[in-house]
Amino acid sequence: MLLIPAIDLKDGRCVQLQQGVMASASVYSDDPPAMARHWCELGARRLHVVDLDGAFAGEPVNRRLVEGIVEAARDVPVQVGGGIRSIETAQGYIDAGASQVIAGTRATEDPDFLRALAAEFPGRAILGLDAKDGRAATRGWTTTSGVDVQAFAEGIRELDLFAIVYTDVARDGMLSGINAAATRRLAEVAAAPVIASGGVRNLDDLRTLKALDLDGKRLLGAISGSALYEGTLDFTRGQRLLDDG
C-alpha cells in the first residue's frame, strides 16, 4: 500500500481545506512544485494533485501549475483531478505527463462519460467517489446527489479503471480518523482497487487500513494532506508501516 501526499491547489498555492469549504483553506506552500519535490525526496511513490479552483469552475484553472508539479515529480506518478469534465481536458493532462486523471462530478452525474473516459484511457482513469452520508457529493462538494456510492461502484465493475479514490467529505481535512467501515464496504464491491481519503490522522489510521486489505489487492493506498502538513503523521514512518506492517 502507498501513502500518497496530497497537493491541493487554490489561487496558485498548496492548501488544505476542511470538509471541502474553500473559505477554510490553510496555506502550506506558495510553491507547489517545490512541495512535490519535497515529497518525492522523502520517498513518495505517487502524488495526488487536485485543482480545487478547477473543481468549482468546472474546468482547469491551475493547469500550468499542475504541469510544473508533474515536471518536478519526474518519474513519480502524478494523478490529477479537479474540473475534468471532458475527454479533451483529460487528454490535455495526459499529454502534460499526468499518469492518471480523476473524474468525479461528471463521472457520477453521467456514467456514460466515465465509460467513455475508461475506454479512451484504459488503466489511466480514476473514479473520484466523494461521499456525504453514503451519497455522492459533486461540483466541489457543494451538491449532494441521490447516487449511492456503493451501488455506483457495483454498477461500473466492468470498466478498466486504475482505481477509485473514496473520500468521506465530513472527515476530509478534519484529522478525525478514517471511515474504515465505509471504506471496507466499498472495497468489497468495487472491481478497481480503492484509495482511501479523508480523515487520515496518524499511524493508527494506516494500521486500520492495512488490516482491512486482507488479500493485499483491495486497497491501493491512502491519501493524506492535513496530517502530513500538520505533522500528526510522519511520511517516512507511515510508508514504512504500510510496507512492513
Side-chain angles (χ1 to χ4, degrees), residues 80-143:
V80 180
I84 298 178
R85 300 183 191 174
S86 71
I87 297 296
E88 292 74 22
T89 298
Q91 184 69 65
Y93 278 128
I94 294 292
D95 291 344
S99 295
Q100 279 79 31
V101 289
I102 307 166
T105 292
R106 191 173 174 194
T108 51
E109 293 179 349
D110 179 8
D112 286 340
F113 168 70
L114 180 62
R115 293 186 173 90
L117 189 70
E120 185 71 22
F121 307 108
R124 302 189 72 175
I126 294 175
L127 168 62
L129 276 182
D130 308 321
K132 291 183 178 180
D133 298 321
R135 303 289 174 178
T138 60
R139 302 185 179 274
W141 298 352
T142 59
T143 301

Side-chain angles (χ1 to χ4, degrees), residues 8-226:
D8 294 349
L9 305 174
K10 179 180 183 294
D11 299 327
R13 299 181 291 181
C14 174
V15 307
Q16 285 290 294
L17 308 184
Q18 292 184 343
Q19 299 178 332
V21 178
M22 289 291 263
S24 71
S26 296
V27 178
Y28 291 102
S29 175
D30 292 323
D31 189 346
M35 184 59 69
R37 284 191 293 273
H38 166 75
W39 294 125
C40 292
E41 288 168 359
L42 285 180
R45 301 172 201 163
R46 174 170 289 272
L47 297 177
H48 176 77
V49 177
V50 176
D51 180 353
L52 295 173
D53 298 308
F56 282 84
E59 60 184 11
V61 174
N62 292 291
R63 174 165 171 176
R64 289 190 177 181
L65 202 51
V66 172
E67 291 173 352
I69 290 170
V70 170
E71 183 178 357
R74 303 184 69 178
D75 295 332
V76 174
V78 178
Q79 57 191 49
V80 180
I84 298 178
R85 300 183 191 174
S86 71
I87 297 296
E88 292 74 22
T89 298
Q91 184 69 65
Y93 278 128
I94 294 292
D95 291 344
S99 295
Q100 279 79 31
V101 289
I102 307 166
T105 292
R106 191 173 174 194
T108 51
E109 293 179 349
D110 179 8
D112 286 340
F113 168 70
L114 180 62
R115 293 186 173 90
L117 189 70
E120 185 71 22
F121 307 108
R124 302 189 72 175
I126 294 175
L127 168 62
L129 276 182
D130 308 321
K132 291 183 178 180
D133 298 321
R135 303 289 174 178
T138 60
R139 302 185 179 274
W141 298 352
T142 59
T143 301
T144 303
S145 71
V147 176
D148 179 271
V149 295
Q150 186 172 337
F152 190 89
E154 288 185 275
I156 48 92
R157 286 180 55 87
E158 80 282 3
L159 302 187
D160 184 9
L161 298 175
F162 178 80
I164 296 173
V165 172
Y166 173 70
T167 304
D168 186 321
V169 174
R171 296 173 185 247
D172 193 68
M174 302 303 290
L175 299 176
S176 57
I178 61 165
N179 189 335
T183 301
R184 179 168 186 165
R185 285 196 298 271
L186 184 66
E188 287 175 342
V189 300
V194 172
I195 300 174
S197 175
V200 173
R201 134 192 84 180
N202 54 31
L203 292 175
D204 287 340
D205 288 305
L206 298 185
R207 290 189 184 96
T208 297
L209 284 172
K210 191 172 177 66
L212 293 181
D213 195 26
L214 299 179
D215 60 8
K217 298 178 181 178
R218 296 182 184 275
L219 294 178
L220 178 61
I223 294 167
S224 179
S226 295

